[in-house]
Amino acid sequence: MANLSQQQIDFRNAMAQLPAAVNIITTNGPGGRCGITASAVCSVTDSPPTVLVCVNRNSATHDVFRTNGRLCVNVLCGEQEELARHFAGMTQVPMAERFAWDLWDGGDTGVPVLRDALVQLEGRISECKEVGSHSVMFVELSKVGVRGEGDSLVYFNRLFHRIEHAVAAC
């Protein structure tokens, strides 16, 4: 962690202890087609249905998301860890090959939607705010898909973990 202040190191270590869902954020349009693995996704409101997605401004994909203005948050299930690794850049698989696999459908606006995702949230970027090194993109949802079954994939302590699907007691 070269060139980081102690406060930045402490913050990163603290955030590593905050379990978060693993998502692949995808886009397609005039800026191109791309996707990234991200855990910085959060609900904002249900009226209108809106989530926020944080993307590092130094990421090669940042401007693609901004140019296209549309994206899909694909919430991963437990068995999709390898896919998360590909879209996190942990493997040498090129972006075009990742989308060539028979896993994707075209969403309502042509944005790649992961067919077997636990949840699919399609929408348009309605607002973008720059905060430090990241852009916080507010995404107004036009379509919500819920699979309703399957384990969840979370990121905790800098590792992927599978969380079993449990049925809530009444």
Side-chain angles (χ1 to χ4, degrees):
M1 293 191 205
N3 300 323
L4 296 178
S5 71
Q6 187 60 49
Q7 185 180 30
Q8 288 171 305
I9 292 168
D10 291 346
F11 178 77
R12 287 181 179 198
N13 288 336
M15 292 301 97
Q17 300 307 306
L18 181 66
V22 179
N23 312 278
I24 294 177
I25 315 301
T26 56
T27 189
N28 194 17
R33 180 175 58 188
C34 69
I36 58 171
T37 298
S39 59
V41 174
C42 180
S43 65
V44 176
T45 182
D46 67 354
S47 184
T50 304
V51 296
L52 64 79
V53 176
C54 299
V55 179
N56 191 315
R57 291 197 327 259
N58 290 323
S59 166
T61 62
H62 176 272
D63 291 342
V64 178
F65 284 104
R66 292 286 307 262
T67 299
N68 291 344
R70 295 199 156 282
L71 59 78
C72 182
V73 176
N74 298 280
V75 181
L76 300 187
C77 41
E79 64 267 15
Q80 294 171 322
E81 179 179 339
E82 184 177 4
L83 195 59
R85 291 180 181 283
H86 292 312
F87 279 89
M90 300 168 111
T91 67
Q92 301 302 312
V93 177
M95 189 71 68
E97 187 176 331
R98 299 173 200 171
F99 286 112
W101 298 324
D102 186 26
L103 307 170
W104 304 97
D105 292 325
D108 287 350
T109 60
V111 173
V113 174
L114 184 60
R115 189 175 308 122
D116 292 330
L118 202 55
V119 172
Q120 303 123 343
L121 305 170
E122 295 179 65
R124 68 173 185 81
I125 300 169
S126 60
E127 187 178 341
C128 194
K129 180 169 176 57
E130 293 183 1
V131 179
S133 59
H134 284 63
S135 288
V136 180
M137 299 177 184
F138 291 85
V139 181
E140 190 172 321
L141 303 178
S142 57
K143 187 172 182 183
V144 174
V146 180
R147 185 167 129 186
E149 59 183 45
D151 296 342
S152 180
L153 186 64
V154 299
Y155 198 68
F156 171 70
N157 199 27
R158 297 182 175 93
L159 296 169
F160 293 105
H161 300 274
R162 189 175 187 155
I163 305 293
E164 282 188 43
H165 179 81
V167 178
C170 293

